[in-house]
Amino acid sequence: MFTSTGSSGLYKAPLSKGLLLVPSALSLLLTLLLPHCQKFFLYDLHAVKNDFQVWRLICGRMVCVDLKDTFCSSLLIYNFRIFERRYGSRKFASFLLGSWVLSALFDLVLVEAVQYSFGVTVASDLPSGFLAPVFALFVPFYCSIPRVQVAQILGPLSITNKTLIYILGLQLFTSGSYIWIVAISGLISGMCYEHRVFQVHQVLCVPGRVAQFFSWALEPVFSSSEPTSEARVGMGATVDIQRQQRVEQLDRQLTLSHLAQVRRQRQPQRGMINWNRLFPPLRQRQNINYQDGPRSEQRASPPLEVSEEQVARLMEMGFSRGDALEALRASNNDLNVATNFLLQH
């Protein structure tokens, strides 16, 4: 009920599966069997700057030496596998690579800023592991995943399909003294990559040939079979499958949210739009011939100018351009309302 990441399992998410298995196995190995080797995986920026141990920027930012950080980051990666299913493994890997590289630069800047402003040396106390890209994934999670209310507690407080993910991120954020530096650098790098600041998505990306090689070499190892014991509610990689599965995935959540809203609001709110009165479900438009009444009603109001960026966002989710345009016009360019409407219809 509280998940927004599709069906269980790692179907169509081989990169997420690799990020779950390999770093977690190395973390357990270092903690339980090889504790004397943990010094090689410490994220020590002091050693990077003064002793030129640049290799620590790689080793210290790949494997967690703290098991609780390993556990929390693994749960978050499992929930964020939705983006690999939606965009494909190459684009997902490019986002992780870009945020991983950018966050290293922001770590250096933030450490120097803290030392200059407060006189606190934190260069050797940063947490190790693949943490910054995990925090960076909260940016597309916040921007592109619809917020659906599941339950309401203590008056205005409500539980949504995203609440537990944020709580898990908060747990990871408070797991160490200076992990907030890594978290902030990850969030900033995620915003830079998501909003294409300075065209970093074109510079920091996985080349096509490299993606093809790893797809040929590693995808058979980390690929998972399609789940058969449950309904197909995951995020498909293709447009048609993705659209159908998004509807099936959120059908129950939207129904519960609608019922809860009706109970709380006995009287209709001012300005509330009755979508079905404006136009019938978009998916039935190709097979329905409208009467003169609805046609004249649509011609009465001039079309509202919509943002091409929002149209592109909806098309990336799997909806056609025509459906995206009409939903945005009906919702007055409100991306969240348009997304929820397209998922319901």
Side-chain angles (χ1 to χ4, degrees):
M1 177 182 297
F2 299 103
T3 182
S4 61
T5 56
S7 61
S8 60
L10 292 161
Y11 176 60
K12 292 185 179 179
L15 178 57
S16 300
K17 185 176 182 179
L19 291 175
L20 284 174
L21 295 180
V22 177
S24 299
L26 290 175
S27 179
L28 288 173
L29 183 65
L30 290 173
T31 303
L32 301 179
L33 300 179
L34 301 173
H36 58 281
C37 295
Q38 289 185 356
K39 60 183 179 180
F40 298 108
F41 294 90
L42 296 178
Y43 187 27
D44 190 351
L45 290 181
H46 181 78
V48 173
K49 293 186 299 181
N50 297 337
D51 301 332
F52 300 102
Q53 297 180 3
V54 184
W55 53 271
R56 289 191 179 275
L57 291 175
I58 300 176
C59 296
R61 304 178 70 243
M62 291 297 296
V63 180
C64 294
V65 296
D66 192 334
L67 287 182
K68 63 177 182 295
D69 291 344
T70 302
F71 179 74
C72 292
S73 60
S74 298
L75 287 179
L76 288 172
I77 290 174
Y78 178 79
N79 282 278
F80 289 148
R81 74 197 186 282
I82 180 177
F83 298 111
E84 184 175 6
R85 289 174 173 173
R86 177 185 296 182
Y87 301 127
S89 297
R90 181 189 174 189
K91 190 173 181 179
F92 182 65
S94 297
F95 181 90
L96 295 178
L97 175 64
S99 59
W100 188 74
V101 174
L102 288 175
S103 60
L105 300 177
F106 289 124
D107 283 344
L108 292 170
V109 173
L110 288 175
V111 165
E112 292 296 330
V114 170
Q115 185 173 358
Y116 177 80
S117 301
F118 305 102
V120 179
T121 303
V122 298
S124 58
D125 297 325
L126 295 179
S128 61
F130 197 72
L131 301 178
V134 173
F135 283 107
L137 285 170
F138 275 98
V139 177
F141 181 75
Y142 174 81
C143 296
S144 61
I145 302 300
R147 177 180 178 273
V148 180
Q149 182 172 323
V150 177
Q152 186 173 7
I153 56 174
L154 300 178
L157 298 179
S158 61
I159 297 177
T160 69
N161 58 326
K162 303 167 70 173
T163 300
L164 295 183
I165 309 300
Y166 288 132
I167 293 176
L168 190 59
L170 183 62
Q171 171 66 32
L172 182 61
F173 183 82
T174 57
S175 63
S177 300
Y178 298 105
I179 195 173
W180 61 271
I181 295 180
V182 177
I184 292 176
S185 65
L187 292 173
I188 296 175
S189 62
M191 288 187 286
C192 292
Y193 202 93
E194 177 74 10
H195 299 290
R196 302 180 178 182
V197 178
F198 302 120
Q199 301 297 317
V200 293
H201 68 287
Q202 296 181 356
V203 179
L204 301 175
C205 64
V206 178
R209 293 184 180 274
V210 176
Q212 291 178 0
F213 172 77
F214 281 102
S215 176
W216 169 78
L218 299 180
E219 187 170 352
V221 178
F222 295 106
S223 61
S224 300
S225 59
E226 182 177 5
T228 57
S229 60
E230 60 179 14
R232 296 183 60 183
V233 295
M235 296 293 180
T238 63
V239 172
D240 294 333
I241 295 177
Q242 177 181 335
R243 180 190 301 180
Q244 178 182 357
Q245 291 178 338
R246 283 181 68 87
V247 175
E248 294 174 353
Q249 172 203 338
L250 292 179
D251 179 63
R252 184 179 179 186
Q253 295 177 351
L254 290 170
T255 302
L256 293 175
S257 177
H258 178 71
L259 291 176
Q261 185 175 2
V262 169
R263 291 175 181 175
R264 292 194 311 271
Q265 301 173 350
R266 298 292 183 178
Q267 298 179 355
Q269 294 182 352
R270 181 180 301 177
M272 204 69 173
I273 298 177
N274 188 347
W275 297 100
N276 291 327
R277 291 184 61 184
L278 285 177
F279 45 87
L282 294 173
R283 295 182 179 173
Q284 301 176 3
R285 281 178 174 262
Q286 298 178 354
N287 301 325
I288 295 179
N289 295 323
Y290 293 115
Q291 299 177 355
D292 295 337
R295 288 179 179 175
S296 60
E297 188 175 295
Q298 289 180 2
R299 289 194 297 266
S301 58
L304 179 68
E305 184 179 355
V306 299
S307 171
E308 287 296 329
E309 182 181 357
Q310 293 181 345
V311 173
R313 293 282 294 277
L314 289 175
M315 292 177 66
E316 286 182 355
M317 295 183 190
F319 304 110
S320 66
R321 178 177 177 82
D323 293 353
L325 286 172
E326 192 139 19
L328 287 170
R329 287 168 182 162
S331 61
N332 195 22
N333 279 326
D334 192 318
L335 183 61
N336 291 330
V337 175
T339 303
N340 289 330
F341 170 74
L342 289 171
L343 292 174
Q344 286 179 291
H345 295 75

